[in-house]
Amino acid sequence: MCGFTGWIDWTDDLTKQAATLEKMTCTLAARGPDASGTWISPHCALGHRRLSVIDPANGAQPMVRTSIDDDDYVIVYNGELYNAPELKRELESRGRRFTTTCDTEVLLVAYMEWGSSCVERFNGIFAFAIWNTREQELFLARDRLGVKPLFYARQLGRFIFGSEPKSLLAHPAVKPEIGPEGLAEIFMIGPARTPGHGVYRDLAELLPGQCATVNRSGVSISHYWRLESRPHTEDAEATASTVRDLLKDTLERQLVSDVPLCTLLSGGLDSSALTALAVRYYKENGQGTMHTFSVDYVDNDKHFKAHAFQPNADAPWIERMRDHLGTTHHFVQFDTPELVEALRAATLARDLPGMADVDASLLLFCREIKKGATVAISGEAADEIFGGYPWFHREDSLNAATFPWALASPMRAELLSQDVAAWIRPLEYIGDRYSSALAEVPKLSGEDAAAARMRVMSYLNITRFMPTLLDRKDRMSMAAGLEVRVPYCDHRLVEYVFNIPWEIKMTGGREKGVLRRALEGVLPDDVLYRKKSPYPKTHNPNYLTAVRSRFMEVLEEGTSPLLPLINVRKIREIAASEEASSNFPWFGQLMSGPQLFAYLLQVDTWLREYNVAVR
């Protein structure tokens, strides 16, 4: 994985802007700690930071290839093509020649051969930009599920882009400003932000499955992929077999690496399945022992209390899978002071406030993993795709006229200052975003109301909630120079599972039942039928004490740019109440009381560190 940035300018000579390009590129050093490169022409400037995974000795970027017509094509790329070997063989059969074994060259040559339609052939996670010197045209694209990020700013005669907002903000023409929509995203949508919305004024994000062409005529953006609704014709047994085959093929493609690789193991269904399949593949191919990693928190065993969203602790199940599979396991543990201190670093990694302690702990976790591996396999997205979250199974969520993670919107709106609430129209904003999402859902003719509602829930989770977790995983892992691969996000698997009827998804009367059926014989039965447990968080009451105390200091100090935006009196009441230590629903099931104060601390850090102007 890597990071890239650059810009097109039709009115300026960019060969005189080397210092600006270098500054923009340097902001992405954590994403690519192994190498750095830039390329400049009069109207196009490209910068790249490299994390070497495939063919470390070659594949430097920006990479330049010259066609038989003497056209130069220049690429900057972040991601992995999992079908690169097949594409390379096909391209060679068409007369193309290669000088490296890296997928960067495969992607570039694929574009030279097939033009913009090349993206339809790719299986992988990617964001890239290719400049054609003869046509004076830039082509950009992002993978189908949005695993890899790509931000941009459109200005008169100028187009600026990069892997993270920080690279664009390093350009003098991009200012850290937000308006009413940005504030609504921060305070009402929260970490589950609207895909494509850059939060900063005039900043946007290329949507998953989109590509863009930039030339003197302007900017053209289009979709090359969307989720589609189709009839499902297989029975439960055949469906489980197809899921198993797709998952196995997907994982084996993603186990290719020229640097140390590991899996993240929580002892739950999703990560245990990937680890079991990976261990089996390693044994069959004589690749040695698989290393696994897990995260936990000091004294969690003393303070954990089961609830609907996290019914049991992970530690005993991790040990169960470690012993069953014979992996070399690394237990990583953090204490409260570390989590609190990491809130700032997590904010800087995202360029925005995020999922508070969940972001902070993931950043710390990735730093520890990086000490022993460069690539990790993770179980993200299975719950969104297969319907594993509690809100798929609760009537209040299913019948709500809003996102299932936004049920507490009226309560969140009460935490805004009167002026801000009047400016951003918080509940209207949530309603508008929900209506826009509903309008996108691809309908299936003849589907009954109950089945149609579950299709809506699946669509909302895949296109609105899943990007939150993918963004978190990308930003925290890449801040540590760690590449994380997410097999459940293979577009073939997502397309197939999206159209599985709900009654088959619930095979055996269990959430993710068809996935459990697919994994019979792969996992022990007790692990196979364990209730879902999400990414672990600290249950230590010291965490609430610490973040509440820090936030009260912010209030007492009285100089924070956050204060005019929030209802200080209301938040003081919460801090002094019993609600502060309970599951106060700040972002539905995303945040409890402790996370409220941690999130507000992140907002305060962001406003100060980025010198954000609200206007």
Side-chain angles (χ1 to χ4, degrees):
M1 292 307 160
C2 307
F4 64 83
T5 190
W7 80 102
I8 302 295
D9 197 315
W10 303 116
T11 60
D12 194 11
D13 181 359
L14 297 186
T15 60
K16 300 176 182 179
Q17 301 293 332
T20 297
L21 178 61
E22 188 64 34
K23 181 180 178 183
M24 295 168 67
T25 305
C26 283
T27 65
L28 302 172
R31 294 186 73 93
D34 297 328
S36 176
T38 59
W39 183 92
I40 308 180
S41 68
H43 298 299
C44 178
L46 302 173
H48 188 267
R49 294 289 312 203
R50 187 184 184 203
L51 176 65
S52 302
V53 173
I54 303 294
D55 194 6
N58 300 295
Q61 296 186 49
M63 179 181 286
V64 183
R65 283 290 302 260
T66 303
S67 72
I68 57 174
D69 299 322
D70 289 330
D71 293 354
D72 280 342
Y73 294 81
V74 191
I75 186 173
V76 283
Y77 162 53
N78 167 32
E80 296 288 345
L81 284 187
Y82 302 129
N83 65 336
E86 297 99 306
L87 287 171
K88 186 175 183 180
R89 286 193 294 270
E90 183 177 359
L91 288 163
E92 286 175 331
S93 73
R94 300 170 71 92
R96 298 288 181 174
R97 296 293 175 260
F98 293 84
T99 60
T100 74
T101 61
C102 69
D103 59 340
T104 304
E105 188 178 19
V106 173
L107 194 155
L108 178 56
V109 174
Y111 178 76
M112 295 169 66
E113 179 70 23
W114 294 304
S116 61
S117 66
C118 66
V119 292
E120 298 168 13
R121 299 170 179 263
F122 296 158
N123 179 312
I125 53 178
F126 54 83
F128 65 86
I130 297 175
W131 173 250
N132 181 330
T133 58
R134 184 176 187 178
E135 297 296 330
Q136 295 284 283
E137 184 171 271
L138 185 74
F139 179 74
L140 308 96
R142 190 178 180 199
D143 66 71
R144 294 169 180 84
L145 276 303
V147 179
K148 292 287 105 182
L150 181 49
F151 293 86
Y152 65 90
R154 299 171 65 169
Q155 299 177 349
L156 186 63
R158 186 186 294 129
F159 184 87
I160 308 168
F161 58 92
S163 297
E164 297 182 6
K166 58 172 60 69
S167 65
L168 284 78
L169 291 168
H171 192 287
V174 181
K175 306 298 182 184
E177 299 176 353
I178 62 169
E181 283 198 11
L183 281 179
E185 289 288 324
I186 292 296
F187 287 108
M188 296 306 298
I189 303 294
R193 296 190 186 95
T194 305
H197 201 298
V199 178
Y200 296 94
R201 189 188 297 275
D202 300 327
L203 206 67
E205 189 176 16
L206 202 65
L207 285 170
Q210 278 190 337
C211 56
T213 300
V214 183
N215 53 37
R216 290 183 182 275
S217 298
V219 180
S220 174
I221 297 176
S222 62
H223 281 273
Y224 67 89
W225 182 87
R226 283 188 174 102
L227 275 175
E228 296 180 1
S229 292
R230 306 185 186 98
H232 185 83
T233 58
E234 295 180 326
D235 63 16
E237 193 59 43
T239 299
S241 178
T242 300
V243 168
R244 180 169 55 249
D245 292 343
L246 282 170
L247 188 58
K248 181 175 181 292
D249 178 73
T250 295
L251 178 64
E252 291 180 359
R253 289 175 181 273
Q254 298 190 22
L255 289 174
V256 176
S257 174
D258 292 333
V259 294
L261 179 147
C262 68
T263 71
L264 308 187
L265 179 62
S266 70
L269 173 67
D270 309 331
S271 66
S272 295
L274 297 179
T275 301
L277 291 170
V279 167
R280 181 181 295 181
Y281 180 83
Y282 264 41
K283 286 181 179 178
E284 291 172 352
N285 291 276
Q287 291 184 233
T289 302
M290 176 64 66
H291 284 251
T292 52
F293 287 78
S294 66
V295 63
D296 207 348
Y297 309 91
V298 172
D299 290 336
N300 247 14
D301 55 335
K302 299 177 183 177
H303 301 291
F304 175 79
K305 293 180 181 179
H307 54 83
F309 204 57
Q310 193 156 7
N312 46 52
D314 286 334
W317 297 95
I318 294 167
E319 294 176 357
R320 169 82 170 97
M321 285 305 300
R322 175 202 62 189
D323 296 342
H324 176 72
L325 296 173
T327 67
T328 299
H329 190 75
H330 307 265
F331 289 96
V332 178
Q333 192 175 67
F334 302 114
D335 203 354
T336 294
E338 297 172 275
L339 287 177
V340 176
E341 290 303 319
L343 286 170
R344 176 182 179 275
T347 305
L348 301 183
R350 267 210 198 216
D351 298 312
L352 291 166
M355 294 183 75
D357 64 323
V358 180
D359 278 12
S361 61
L362 181 57
L363 176 59
L364 295 173
F365 187 32
C366 289
R367 287 175 178 173
E368 289 300 309
I369 297 168
K370 177 65 175 178
K371 295 176 182 178
T374 302
V375 177
I377 302 291
S378 179
E380 250 77 18
D383 287 303
E384 289 84 359
I385 295 164
F386 287 94
Y389 290 126
W391 54 54
F392 277 94
H393 311 274
R394 287 171 33 179
E395 290 300 318
D396 60 339
S397 299
L398 290 172
N399 296 325
T402 189
F403 300 109
W405 50 88
L407 302 183
S409 295
M411 188 175 294
R412 296 204 303 272
E414 293 178 4
L415 303 182
L416 298 171
S417 71
Q418 285 188 339
D419 289 344
V420 167
W423 192 31
I424 72 174
R425 303 175 297 107
L427 299 183
E428 284 185 58
Y429 188 82
I430 286 278
D432 290 345
R433 298 287 73 75
Y434 183 66
S435 296
S436 296
L438 288 184
E440 295 175 10
V441 180
K443 295 178 174 57
L444 183 64
S445 178
E447 198 166 47
D448 64 37
R453 181 56 189 165
M454 296 316 300
R455 185 176 297 276
V456 167
M457 282 290 285
S458 294
Y459 187 87
L460 294 178
N461 275 265
I462 292 170
T463 66
R464 294 303 191 273
F465 189 72
M466 194 167 80
T468 304
L469 305 187
L470 295 178
D471 182 62
R472 174 192 72 178
K473 185 59 64 81
D474 172 83
R475 218 61 66 79
M476 298 306 116
S477 62
M478 293 309 296
L482 176 72
E483 175 186 324
V484 176
R485 298 174 179 175
V486 281
Y488 290 107
C489 284
D490 183 282
H491 72 277
R492 301 167 303 160
L493 182 65
V494 174
E495 288 172 347
Y496 182 76
V497 177
F498 178 66
N499 285 296
I500 297 174
W502 185 248
E503 61 268 21
I504 296 181
K505 286 182 182 177
M506 288 287 289
T507 293
R510 285 293 306 275
E511 75 283 358
K512 296 195 288 190
V514 71
L515 179 60
R516 298 178 199 274
R517 173 74 66 84
L519 294 169
E520 288 179 351
V522 175
L523 295 175
D525 284 351
D526 55 344
V527 177
L528 188 62
Y529 292 100
R530 179 193 173 195
K531 290 287 289 184
K532 175 190 165 44
S533 187
Y535 180 85
K537 63 181 181 181
T538 180
H539 301 280
N540 193 325
N542 290 341
Y543 184 76
L544 168 62
T545 301
V547 293
R548 178 169 54 187
S549 176
R550 284 207 177 189
F551 189 70
M552 294 308 293
E553 290 175 6
V554 170
L555 295 184
E556 296 302 329
E557 180 189 81
T559 61
S560 170
L562 173 63
L563 300 187
L565 308 178
I566 59 174
N567 183 337
V568 174
R569 178 190 58 78
K570 180 66 175 177
I571 292 175
R572 285 185 183 275
E573 287 178 5
I574 294 170
S577 71
E578 292 184 3
E579 283 181 314
S581 59
S582 66
N583 287 325
F584 177 77
W586 173 233
F587 284 110
Q589 290 172 315
L590 284 178
M591 289 193 173
S592 60
Q595 280 70 41
L596 165 62
F597 300 109
Y599 184 75
L600 292 176
L601 282 172
Q602 285 198 313
V603 178
D604 175 66
T605 296
W606 169 62
L607 291 169
R608 294 179 195 247
E609 295 274 354
Y610 285 75
N611 196 26
V612 177
V614 180
R615 56 170 65 100

